[in-house]
Amino acid sequence: MKTLKKIYMLILMAAIMGPACNKQLNENPQSVVTPDFFKTAQGFQSGLDAAYAGMRNNWGTENLFTITCLGADEFITGNDGQGNNVNFYSSGYMPSEGKTTAIWNNAYTFINTCNGLIDYGPGITGIDSAKKLTMLAEAKFLRANYYFILVQFWGNVTLNKHFQSLPTTAAQRDPRSDVYDFIIQDLQDAIAGLPPSPTQGGVLPGKATAAAATHILAKVYLTRASSPAAHPDDYQNAYTLASGLITNSASLGLGLLQDFGSVFQEGNETNKEVLWTVQHTSNIAYNGSAAQNSSGPDNVLVHMWVPKYETEVPGMQRDIVDGRPYIRAVPTRWLTDTVFKERTNDTRYSKTFQTVWYANNAAGIPKWPNPVPAGVDPSLAGKPKFTLGDTACYMLGADVSDATIKATRYLLIPPRKYNIKLSPYMRKYVDTRRPDMNSPSIRPVIVWTLSETYLIAAEAAYMMNQPTVALGYINTIRERAAYPTGNATAMDVTEADLSLDFILDERSRELCGQMVRWWDLVRTHQLLSRVIAHNSDGRANIIPKDTLRPIPQTQMNAVTSGPAYGPMADPLWN
């Protein structure tokens, strides 16, 4: 495809510091990769490292964050993201949208890398035969993941099965049924050839394993089951794979952590609940521009949800702990007030969102006015309201009167006063070990967890009209959410509570901000109804065709031979 031109220098640069490699590789930079490159042991290893590194252009960047977390029901656009047309489904949301284009180009770049590995790897000498089979399985795992991203966003997409060393001006959109078949075969091959588990056998963090491949294959079946390419046994296959992984998890060294809050705890990204991560690096040569801090493969998720606390909260200034305020997204009131309404026994809200800020700027600490508000000791007039280290802001999650707000020494914010500058802060990606507040994160991005495997099994069972089975998986997740202060039994729900809407809400409570939400709503055919109900940015503009992302304009322009390549190729865009 034409989109493959000018990619090969990137491949070689990425290969030098691939996320699955513990050492630097010495390469001779080339501007074009030929089949001969993949026929050497060194080229084969470099290509595989590059295919892993390509995932850093998705998991951690503003691009994938924007088109999975925004435009759904969990978040609206924050103060500093107002130029984003994706969330608004507005007139500017066109095939020229840069964030969708970046995801498309990245996928095809590294699909081609994987194709080179798979096409020419079997003939390589100089690599242990068992190791080579594992590396080929890794390439198939990665290729399947890239294609799964494409088919979920765009439906019918070009299916390139073999390496292309030269650009082409011809391409077609293949039926999504063919793409799904190809993904499934790749993942089945990967499962057969990969090490069993990320926690066993010295598997490096970020490497593909059979457990991760099983999880994503279950999700592929679940997704295809509700698509135009559905097979009658898709839900059964999704359930069989997910439930099997759960049943065998203990023997694989996997399992749910006792505390939901520990799963995304900084420095704990290799815990037994994590199935796959995408690694990031501190080497600035392989990150984006330090000045822009949001380009290239940087992990900028640490910034995306941070509110403008340093300008909106007296007594606060920017620091590493509280983060740099990009404020691209703020939670919808539906998310904070309805989805996370139960907070007595369900601890996930307090472990997902920051609602308290502590004073760190002595010069900004406010003083009581004179006269003081009603209910405040008059002797405090003109005195500081609090000191360094005291609470500067608290979002209490319940309504209080304006009089109470005025009489509180710190900034007290009930839900009715949440706004696009200052709202609860989704903190799963916090990184306090950055060298300065402006730096991106080098934390691994957790992509798939065993808790989602439980939710896949539950959804598949429910869709097969087996609510009792589904309930078992749902309640296991919910009971864990009570730790340590809640009543686990009180978290149990009954079959009467169970519905597809409930399962989607449970996915929000468990997976909030984990860059799956737009896909979840499209898969379950709930995107339009939930955006209209809960997303104040997008409700006025969203239409049925928005369940697909627009084909990039650059792709359509590049196809100059044969039939035109464009949105009209999919019925939703007619």
Side-chain angles (χ1 to χ4, degrees):
M1 297 178 68
K2 191 70 174 289
T3 51
L4 297 176
K5 68 180 182 179
K6 296 176 70 177
I7 65 171
Y8 300 107
M9 182 64 78
L10 171 64
I11 293 175
L12 287 172
M13 289 180 65
I16 297 173
M17 186 60 90
C21 228
N22 276 343
K23 58 183 180 180
Q24 269 193 316
L25 301 174
N26 295 316
E27 295 290 348
N28 296 315
Q30 303 175 42
S31 60
V32 175
V33 172
T34 66
D36 288 341
F37 174 79
F38 291 103
K39 293 178 182 179
T40 66
Q42 188 179 44
F44 189 54
Q45 181 65 65
S46 296
L48 183 60
D49 290 344
Y52 273 109
M55 285 295 176
R56 291 172 51 219
N57 293 313
N58 293 330
W59 301 98
T61 67
E62 189 168 355
N63 295 327
L64 191 65
F65 153 81
T66 299
I67 60 176
T68 54
C69 290
L70 297 179
D73 54 2
E74 292 182 342
F75 299 98
I76 56 173
T77 306
N79 185 77
D80 293 352
Q82 292 299 304
N84 162 35
N85 296 304
V86 173
N87 193 47
F88 289 85
Y89 298 99
S90 58
S91 58
Y93 176 48
M94 301 292 288
S96 57
E97 167 59 47
K99 291 178 173 59
T100 53
T101 298
I103 296 297
W104 175 280
N105 289 346
N106 186 70
Y108 277 113
T109 295
F110 293 102
I111 283 170
N112 200 49
T113 306
C114 293
N115 286 344
L117 296 167
I118 294 162
D119 285 351
Y120 302 110
I124 294 174
T125 58
I127 297 180
D128 175 76
S129 58
K131 179 181 178 181
K132 182 166 65 175
L133 289 174
T134 299
M135 292 171 72
L136 287 168
E138 291 176 73
K140 289 191 174 185
F141 170 87
L142 293 168
R143 182 169 68 177
N145 274 273
Y146 284 118
Y147 267 125
F148 191 40
I149 288 172
L150 287 171
V151 77
Q152 289 180 98
F153 279 138
W154 287 284
N156 301 334
V157 294
T158 300
L159 183 57
N160 289 338
K161 298 181 179 180
H162 298 288
F163 180 71
Q164 295 177 327
S165 59
L166 297 173
T168 178
T169 59
Q172 66 180 24
R173 292 181 73 178
D174 294 296
R176 73 184 83 193
S177 58
D178 293 348
V179 181
Y180 274 115
D181 288 344
F182 194 68
I183 292 170
I184 289 167
Q185 186 61 62
D186 264 359
L187 289 172
Q188 289 173 339
D189 293 346
I191 290 168
L194 290 171
S197 167
T199 66
Q200 297 177 340
V203 174
L204 292 175
K207 280 282 194 176
T209 65
T214 299
H215 172 93
I216 190 63
L217 181 54
K219 194 166 185 177
V220 168
Y221 279 123
L222 186 70
T223 305
R224 187 175 72 170
S226 60
S227 80
H231 287 207
D233 58 353
D234 279 343
Y235 285 124
Q236 181 61 61
N237 287 333
Y239 174 76
T240 299
L241 286 161
S243 62
L245 180 57
I246 293 165
T247 299
N248 295 322
S249 59
S251 65
L252 295 170
L254 303 170
L256 298 178
L257 298 188
Q258 185 179 34
D259 185 358
F260 167 83
S262 297
V263 180
F264 273 76
Q265 183 179 340
E266 184 179 359
N268 194 38
E269 296 86 1
T270 58
N271 67 74
K272 67 178 183 177
E273 191 167 326
V274 174
L275 300 176
W276 188 47
T277 59
V278 168
Q279 302 292 295
H280 284 262
T281 174
S282 60
N283 191 321
I284 60 173
Y286 306 103
N287 289 325
S289 164
Q292 296 178 6
N293 194 231
S294 60
S295 63
D298 286 346
N299 178 2
V300 295
L301 298 178
V302 64
H303 304 315
M304 292 295 103
W305 286 272
V306 180
K308 297 180 77 65
Y309 64 91
E310 88 286 25
T311 61
E312 303 302 308
V313 179
M316 294 298 300
Q317 61 185 350
R318 286 189 187 184
D319 62 15
I320 294 175
V321 172
D322 292 298
R324 176 180 175 176
Y326 269 36
I327 196 150
R328 296 295 194 266
V330 297
T332 62
R333 288 287 304 277
W334 168 80
L335 182 68
T336 57
D337 300 0
T338 300
V339 173
F340 284 100
K341 181 178 181 179
E342 208 297 298
R343 299 174 193 175
T344 301
N345 296 307
D346 192 334
T347 67
R348 287 175 291 188
Y349 178 77
S350 63
K351 295 170 181 176
T352 300
F353 292 96
Q354 177 176 334
T355 57
V356 180
W357 284 259
Y358 297 100
N360 64 1
N361 179 20
I365 292 175
K367 296 180 180 180
W368 286 108
N370 190 7
V372 297
V376 176
D377 183 351
S379 69
L380 294 176
K383 295 181 180 179
K385 288 186 173 182
F386 48 81
T387 62
L388 283 177
D390 287 346
T391 298
C393 176
Y394 175 42
M395 300 178 186
L396 70 168
D399 200 21
V400 293
S401 68
D402 287 344
T404 298
I405 293 172
K406 289 180 180 179
T408 302
R409 59 191 181 87
Y410 49 80
L411 180 60
L412 185 64
I413 305 179
R416 63 186 168 88
K417 290 188 176 289
Y418 296 165
N419 58 62
I420 61 173
K421 291 183 178 181
L422 197 60
S423 291
Y425 160 33
M426 207 292 298
R427 281 183 57 91
K428 286 184 177 178
Y429 304 103
V430 66
D431 185 349
T432 62
R433 302 175 185 178
R434 293 172 294 129
D436 60 72
M437 71 184 76
N438 297 320
S439 294
S441 174
I442 59 169
R443 282 187 63 184
V445 176
I446 295 172
V447 180
W448 310 126
T449 62
L450 191 66
S451 62
E452 190 187 21
T453 314
Y454 277 78
L455 294 169
I456 290 170
E459 186 177 330
Y462 178 80
M463 297 304 291
M464 291 191 295
N465 197 29
Q466 297 180 21
T468 303
V469 175
L471 204 60
Y473 295 106
I474 291 286
N475 281 337
T476 297
I477 292 296
R478 288 181 59 81
E479 288 174 8
R480 187 268 291 268
Y483 179 86
T485 57
N487 182 332
T489 302
M491 286 293 292
D492 284 348
V493 294
T494 67
E495 289 185 23
D497 300 311
L498 206 57
S499 66
L500 188 58
D501 278 333
F502 183 88
I503 291 172
L504 280 171
D505 291 358
E506 196 63 34
R507 286 184 66 88
S508 268
R509 285 184 279 269
E510 192 71 21
L511 308 174
C512 179
Q514 290 177 221
M515 291 170 290
V516 296
R517 190 59 177 179
W518 192 87
W519 289 327
D520 287 346
L521 298 187
V522 171
R523 182 187 70 247
T524 56
H525 303 286
Q526 300 297 310
L527 181 68
L528 266 72
S529 62
R530 284 190 170 233
V531 167
I532 291 169
H534 308 305
N535 187 327
S536 57
D537 290 344
R539 63 168 55 115
N541 300 318
I542 192 168
I543 57 178
K545 76 173 186 178
D546 291 324
T547 55
L548 292 176
R549 295 305 192 187
I551 295 291
Q553 189 66 51
T554 53
Q555 174 62 37
M556 294 188 283
N557 294 345
V559 177
T560 58
S561 302
Y565 195 109
M568 299 298 286
D570 195 294
L572 281 172
W573 284 83
N574 283 339

